Amino acid sequence: MVEIELDGRKVEVAEGSMVMHAAEKAGTYIPHFCYHKKLSIAANCRMCLVDVEKAPKPMPACATPVTQGMIVRTKSDKAIKAQQSVMEFLLINHPLDCPICDQGGECQLQDLAVGYGGSSSRYAEEKRVVFHKDVGPLISMEEMSRCIHCTRCVRFGQEVAGVMELGMIHRGEHSEITTVVGDTVDSELSGNMIDICPVGALTSKPFRYSARTWELSRRKSVSPHDSTGANLIVQVKNHRVMRVVPLENEDVNECWIADRDRFSYEALNGDDRLTRPMLKQGGQWREVDWQTALEYVANGLQGVKNQHGANAIGALVSPHSTLEELYLAGALVRGLGSDNIDYRLRNAQFPAAEGVRWLGTSIASLSSLQSVLVVGSNLRKDHPLFAQRIRQAARRGCTVTAINAREYDWAMPVAQTLLAPASGWLAALAEVAAALAQEKGVAAPQVVAQVGDAAQAVARALLSGEQKAVLLGNGAAHHAQASSLLALAQWIAEQTGATVGYLTEAANTVGAQFVGAQPQSNGLNAAQMLSGGVKAALLLNTEPEHDSALGADAAKALAGMDMVVTLSPFKTNLEFSDVLLPIAPFSETSGTFANAEGRLQSFHAVVKPLGEARPAWKVLRVLGNLLSVPGIGFETSQEVLAHATGVAPSAAALEQIPAERLSNRTAASAAAPAGAAVGEPVVASIYQLDGLVRRATSLQLTADARLAAEGAAA
């Protein structure tokens, strides 16, 4: 540690730290633009000039290493005058358009100009003009004349997103940030550039000119999309979600969110929203009141039970639903005498529950891995924030290896990829296991004819380092040999000292397992239900045509059922449903998500439900009351959560799923199941994951969405 004196106070910081780091530790604010704690140091803006004793001139705090006994003054006349001079230079060419700037009210330059700017300018020359650029549907670069060349956006692309999509061309007053050849900005993390831009040069295209920052209420929430559980600040005006930005949480999403977390809010205000219950009568849809709709559903389910038995009723639930909704859906179905409930709509194999499948390690630890093997995942698109953490690990020397059907651009160095069709993943993993067995002189779990160089390279990578992981992606989870893949991954992890886990697909995949949203004894799984195994189906927050492995065939099976009840925020499943019940999306209800590491994160509604929509947990509770299902008369979602997690309502809520419930161990064989048919696993593309992103207009205009649409059409 090194001790310095900062504004008369002693501060101890690690050797190699900069003066800025010491100031942060001491709680002293030094004005800055280009410095960002998550990015490399550029020292472009010079706004952070400070007075260092014995230095001949003011020094940039962000790029001046601390030395033992150094004396630094951040508020001396020398420092203040230097900072004021820099501000004067920054404002020479800056347009005076604060009244119409979309960044007004949350602009670093505006804030610091109040403290360090002059009341008039000494420069009378014409200001420079930088022409606007069209970089896609998410980021607006309409006013690049405001850019102060801090290069935060450039460094973010290089260092965090992994793709240098923006760069600086020319020199001096002709310098400008651009995509150089007129390309669009297509990174799945691109929206973070908007947050880190200290001026109004990069702004949100969907949000642009829709509200002023001081008009917005800020409310905490949790992302309902992938399994990161990114913490959000949802900004609201007149009971309408206007914008979503990240809430910093170092253990989960740091200070970043993926674009689908940021821009999917557009669907919340779309024309597709279902605002009143609807019944299909004579092939025509008509709006009805809640009492009529719920009584119709209750009578219909009771009729199916009386005619065909309780096992003819099933529930297909989305892992993007809250833990409370999933628990009550299970309680309702089981209260009727059925065990037919499943969230695994895209799965090809349905093993009996052996524990809650999870990441196998903490999310934060992904940043410090030294070796990782990813099986069956387009990591960058399926889990953008996990990929970002592994990208940081790769920058520090982590060896990344993969088994996939094709090579993906993960925007990080991948040391080795074993390419095989999905039917060959188990053989490829067995080859890695055999290579490990050779290295360690132990018996391999599966006989392999030959071990190739690539498998040996993967095995050696897993044997090196201390922190390592074997991660199974969405493709591996939905695979027809999922249990065997897990068993083999478990063996490899045991031999190498690695953790093994699932990246897990959705916001509540882990929570769905925790509350038993899958058959616990002899119930039908999702594939059996969608193949006509039930006569009545409850569809909670799901669209089987898009969300299930059966696709269009699921719609045909559902059309042949006696009753299909859709609980959704949107007008969907119209072809085969008999009833549509409008439920609240994540922004309009309270609930809990369990992310990939088993962290339970509760949130409240940020706006009131649109129209006559109601929180799904309330709808399910009332249905249960109408059907005389005992034990679900809950008054609040907190009561549901306490009951679902087994915690007394008076006690503190669980923050983590108990360790004894989390398990990636399996009794399955590592050998290929005899005669198993193996097709390509069904995996949703980045902007087709759930109903919200599918209806977010701007996300559907991105390059990723277009590529997915072209692939589906082909």
Side-chain angles (χ1 to χ4, degrees):
M1 299 293 284
V2 174
E3 185 179 81
I4 71 168
E5 183 181 305
L6 184 76
D7 291 339
R9 294 171 54 197
K10 301 291 184 183
V11 182
E12 273 196 359
V13 288
E15 191 173 351
S17 298
M18 303 296 162
V19 171
M20 184 71 82
H21 301 141
E24 285 180 342
K25 187 172 181 180
T28 299
Y29 179 73
I30 298 176
H32 60 273
F33 293 113
C34 68
Y35 171 76
H36 190 281
K37 63 182 179 181
K38 294 289 183 181
L39 302 176
S40 62
I41 291 168
N44 286 335
C45 71
R46 307 317 255 197
M47 191 64 210
C48 63
L49 292 175
V50 292
D51 180 7
V52 178
E53 193 170 274
K54 297 183 181 178
K57 58 183 180 180
M59 304 294 286
C62 68
T64 302
V66 294
T67 57
Q68 184 64 36
M70 174 187 275
I71 298 174
V72 180
R73 300 179 185 88
T74 67
K75 304 290 190 294
S76 67
D77 285 345
K78 184 177 179 181
I80 296 295
K81 285 179 180 177
Q83 292 162 359
Q84 289 173 339
S85 297
V86 170
M87 178 59 72
E88 184 179 21
F89 275 106
L90 286 174
L91 293 177
I92 287 173
N93 276 308
H94 197 81
L96 301 177
D97 60 354
C98 289
I100 58 132
C101 178
D102 218 37
Q103 192 92 339
E106 54 185 2
C107 173
Q108 268 184 271
L109 184 66
Q110 194 178 57
D111 293 343
L112 292 179
V114 172
Y116 299 91
S119 57
S120 61
S121 174
R122 290 184 288 167
Y123 296 87
E125 292 80 7
E126 289 185 3
K127 293 181 181 288
R128 77 180 197 135
V129 174
V130 180
F131 293 110
H132 72 267
K133 293 127 181 120
D134 184 0
V135 293
L138 305 181
I139 298 177
S140 172
M141 294 179 74
E142 290 289 318
E143 285 92 10
M144 288 306 292
S145 297
R146 299 171 182 161
C147 178
I148 61 170
H149 305 146
C150 69
T151 69
R152 279 186 179 184
C153 56
V154 178
R155 285 176 285 145
F156 173 84
Q158 287 178 293
E159 298 164 17
V160 180
V163 185
M164 187 177 173
E165 295 179 296
L166 293 176
M168 185 181 287
I169 59 171
H170 307 314
R171 301 191 66 174
E173 69 172 9
H174 302 293
S175 299
E176 60 180 283
I177 300 292
T178 179
T179 56
V180 182
V181 291
D183 289 340
T184 53
V185 174
D186 298 320
S187 166
E188 63 286 347
L189 298 172
S190 64
N192 293 292
M193 295 180 184
I194 299 165
D195 292 336
I196 63 175
C197 180
V199 294
L202 303 181
T203 53
S204 168
K205 194 171 278 190
F207 172 72
R208 190 175 166 80
Y209 297 139
S210 58
R212 286 297 198 177
T213 181
W214 54 83
E215 300 172 327
L216 301 173
S217 300
R218 290 160 176 77
R219 293 159 189 175
K220 297 178 183 179
S221 192
V222 178
S223 168
H225 304 302
D226 64 36
S227 59
T228 308
N231 291 197
L232 310 176
I233 293 289
V234 181
Q235 300 185 344
V236 174
K237 178 184 177 184
N238 297 333
H239 294 290
R240 183 183 174 97
V241 174
M242 304 300 291
R243 183 167 64 167
V244 174
V245 295
L247 172 64
E248 186 171 348
N249 185 334
E250 280 298 310
D251 293 331
V252 181
N253 57 300
E254 300 176 88
C255 55
W256 317 120
I257 54 174
D259 286 351
R260 63 182 168 203
D261 302 328
R262 183 184 302 273
F263 296 108
S264 64
Y265 74 87
E266 285 184 297
L268 301 172
N269 308 318
D271 297 333
D272 207 19
R273 282 295 302 271
L274 178 65
T275 57
R276 292 197 67 195
M278 298 180 75
L279 292 183
K280 186 189 285 183
Q281 294 185 334
Q284 298 296 312
W285 285 100
R286 71 182 186 92
E287 293 183 344
V288 296
D289 60 75
W290 269 105
Q291 187 70 23
T292 302
L294 290 171
E295 287 180 356
Y296 182 88
V297 173
N299 292 334
L301 292 176
Q302 192 63 54
V304 169
K305 179 180 178 181
N306 293 341
Q307 186 175 354
H308 301 286
N311 285 331
I313 298 172
L316 295 160
V317 297
S318 167
H320 299 278
S321 303
T322 67
L323 193 143
E324 293 84 350
E325 293 163 2
L326 294 169
Y327 173 76
L328 283 176
L332 175 63
V333 171
R334 293 188 177 105
L336 292 171
S338 171
D339 190 33
N340 304 333
I341 179 171
D342 209 346
Y343 74 92
R344 301 167 296 178
L345 275 73
R346 293 191 178 102
N347 284 31
Q349 192 183 58
F350 302 89
E354 298 179 64
V356 175
R357 305 303 193 203
W358 67 301
L359 186 63
T361 184
S362 68
I363 290 173
S365 69
L366 297 178
S367 302
S368 55
L369 288 174
Q370 294 167 313
S371 181
V372 60
L373 170 60
V374 180
V375 181
S377 175
N378 183 1
L379 182 65
R380 178 180 164 193
K381 303 301 181 182
D382 293 346
H383 301 90
L385 292 173
F386 290 170
Q388 184 275 132
R389 284 193 179 270
I390 294 174
R391 189 174 296 121
Q392 302 317 307
R395 288 171 61 85
R396 300 186 191 106
C398 174
T399 305
V400 182
T401 54
I403 295 176
N404 265 322
R406 65 185 184 89
E407 286 200 48
Y408 295 105
D409 177 13
W410 288 352
M412 69 179 87
V414 179
Q416 195 71 54
T417 301
L418 272 68
L419 291 176
S423 57
W425 288 355
L426 190 61
L429 200 57
E431 200 177 332
V432 174
L436 277 171
Q438 286 180 7
E439 292 277 345
K440 298 194 69 176
V442 297
Q446 194 172 323
V447 177
V448 174
Q450 186 177 357
V451 177
D453 293 341
Q456 288 177 338
V458 173
R460 283 193 290 270
L462 286 172
L463 286 168
S464 64
E466 294 180 3
Q467 290 186 291
K468 40 208 170 183
V470 179
L471 300 175
L472 301 170
N474 297 348
H478 301 165
H479 201 276
Q481 298 171 335
S483 294
S484 296
L485 284 169
L486 175 58
L488 205 45
Q490 184 68 54
W491 187 90
I492 290 170
E494 288 171 354
Q495 297 300 316
T496 59
T499 61
V500 63
Y502 283 100
L503 293 164
T504 70
E505 179 183 44
N508 220 6
T509 299
V510 171
Q513 300 171 73
F514 180 47
V515 297
Q518 63 192 65
Q520 299 298 298
S521 54
N522 58 352
L524 301 179
N525 60 47
Q528 292 168 330
M529 284 188 269
L530 285 172
S531 299
V534 293
K535 295 293 183 182
L538 290 170
L539 305 180
L540 174 61
N541 220 5
T542 188
E543 301 168 275
E545 283 186 274
H546 302 289
D547 295 333
S548 77
L550 293 177
D553 290 338
K556 296 175 186 174
L558 288 160
M561 293 182 186
D562 293 356
M563 172 169 266
V564 177
V565 181
T566 292
L567 293 86
S568 173
F570 304 105
K571 296 173 184 173
T572 185
N573 301 339
L574 298 174
E575 299 81 9
F576 49 76
S577 294
D578 299 293
V579 189
L580 297 182
L581 300 178
I583 61 170
F586 82 104
S587 57
E588 299 166 15
T589 184
S590 56
T592 304
F593 291 135
N595 68 3
E597 66 181 358
R599 181 188 296 260
L600 293 167
Q601 299 186 107
S602 295
F603 54 92
H604 297 287
V606 299
V607 292
K608 65 183 181 181
L610 187 65
E612 293 185 23
R614 296 291 180 267
W617 70 267
K618 289 188 177 181
V619 177
L620 292 165
R621 182 202 63 192
V622 175
L623 266 179
N625 293 339
L626 290 173
L627 288 162
S628 302
V629 174
I632 61 171
F634 304 108
E635 294 298 320
T636 65
S637 62
Q638 287 79 12
E639 284 184 34
V640 184
L641 177 64
H643 203 270
T645 56
V647 175
S650 58
L654 277 182
E655 294 182 357
Q656 181 79 25
I657 293 177
E660 61 270 18
R661 293 289 305 277
L662 299 170
S663 173
N664 291 317
R665 301 201 66 83
T666 178
S669 167
V678 179
E680 288 294 322
V682 176
V683 178
S685 61
I686 184 170
Y687 298 135
Q688 289 293 319
L689 182 63
D690 58 73
L692 280 175
V693 293
R694 282 195 285 270
R695 291 172 173 82
T697 307
S698 297
L699 292 178
Q700 295 307 317
L701 295 173
T702 60
D704 278 322
R706 291 198 306 271
L707 283 172
E710 290 166 8

